[in-house]
Amino acid sequence: SSNYEPVTVPITIYGKKRINITTSVNGEGGSISSSISNVLEGDEKTITITPNSDHQIKTVTVNGTEVGISNNELIIKAEKTDLEVVATFEAKTYDLNINGTNVETDPNGIIIVNYNSSENIKLTTKSGYRLTSASVNDTEKIDDVSNNTIIVSNITDDTVVIAQAKKIEYEVTDGARQTYTINDSDKATFNINANFELFNNGGKVYVDDKLVSEDNYTSKAGSTVITFSKAYLDTLDLGVHTLNVKLSDGGVAHTTFTISRVITRTIATT
């Protein structure tokens, strides 16, 4: 032993640290995997972030810095310091696009709605028009319209609602384009395929775009029958005239008729 002297040599031992990964949700709307303790430096762990059905992931941060995720999973590698993972969720929203042709809709245009929500849409047709279509994402829903309202329920995607109305037009089924001959005819009758109540409750008759007094015609059911008097017809100029019968629902029946005259000639004889 006398041949050796003790020597002190400094030795540094390097090892991997163990850290903690803490997880939390900022607010509500979903869940995140539980925190993990004693994770060896360099190891990778998978954190799963799960939104509720009516929410979606807004942000995920690691120690305050926003990070990207894939398929609702964050793969995180342990480093030398503890890691804090925070998930924030937001409510799912969708565009509800509402449009009308000859129909006033309330609401109208693009509105933002929440996941699985419902929206009552009021449909008001223009005067003289009848609702002919109410579609939701190209599926006809006019049979679902009640009290001029359609309800779009359980919205889980961007949705388009289109309402359409067409002008109410009635037909003159008998008497259209007839000719009344002065000194030969005694009346002119027009049958219209409209419920008589639609005329009886506010209907109007126009000849050449001028309102005709009720003294100059009679009206009755079957469906709607308008008969002009001889006294009125004899005052009209010879030629073609327009007839428009306007009903209380805004609908119109249109035709023309002609006023002619019998020309009597006396031939002298010798």
Side-chain angles (χ1 to χ4, degrees), residues 25-203:
V25 172
N26 177 26
E28 58 184 10
S31 61
I32 191 170
S33 300
S34 300
S35 299
I36 308 172
S37 301
N38 293 321
V39 181
L40 188 63
E41 180 185 346
D43 283 359
E44 290 185 343
K45 296 295 181 181
T46 298
I47 307 297
T48 302
I49 300 99
T50 306
N52 295 340
S53 60
D54 58 349
H55 280 69
Q56 59 192 7
I57 298 169
K58 182 178 181 181
T59 60
V60 176
T61 62
V62 176
N63 289 353
T65 300
E66 187 171 343
V67 296
I69 64 171
S70 177
N71 296 322
N72 292 356
E73 291 184 340
L74 169 65
I75 299 176
I76 192 168
K77 186 175 183 179
E79 299 177 353
K80 294 183 180 299
T81 58
D82 290 342
L83 300 174
E84 181 184 15
V85 182
V86 179
T88 302
F89 301 93
E90 62 183 359
K92 286 182 180 178
T93 60
Y94 302 100
D95 288 347
L96 178 57
N97 191 344
I98 309 165
N99 293 286
T101 300
N102 299 317
V103 182
E104 180 181 333
T105 65
D106 183 19
N108 182 65
I110 298 176
I111 63 173
I112 306 301
V113 296
N114 290 329
Y115 173 87
N116 210 34
S117 63
S118 298
E119 190 72 28
N120 290 12
I121 303 170
K122 184 75 172 178
L123 307 176
T124 305
T125 59
K126 290 173 59 176
S127 177
Y129 286 75
R130 178 184 291 116
L131 187 70
T132 55
S133 175
S135 65
V136 179
N137 288 341
D138 296 324
T139 299
E140 185 56 60
K141 296 288 185 180
I142 193 169
D143 290 341
D144 295 339
V145 176
S146 177
N147 297 320
N148 298 323
T149 300
I150 185 170
I151 302 174
V152 183
S153 304
N154 308 119
I155 300 171
T156 58
D157 202 349
D158 290 340
T159 300
V160 177
V161 178
I162 299 176
Q164 296 177 309
K166 293 183 178 180
K167 193 172 182 63
I168 303 172
E169 294 182 328
Y170 293 100
E171 182 182 356
V172 178
T173 57
D174 189 20
R177 297 177 296 280
Q178 66 179 282
T179 296
Y180 172 86
T181 304
I182 297 174
N183 299 330
D184 185 45
S185 306
D186 60 355
K187 63 183 178 181
T189 299
F190 300 85
N191 289 27
I192 300 164
N193 64 344
N195 189 305
F196 182 61
E197 291 303 312
L198 294 175
F199 181 81
N200 202 37
N201 294 321

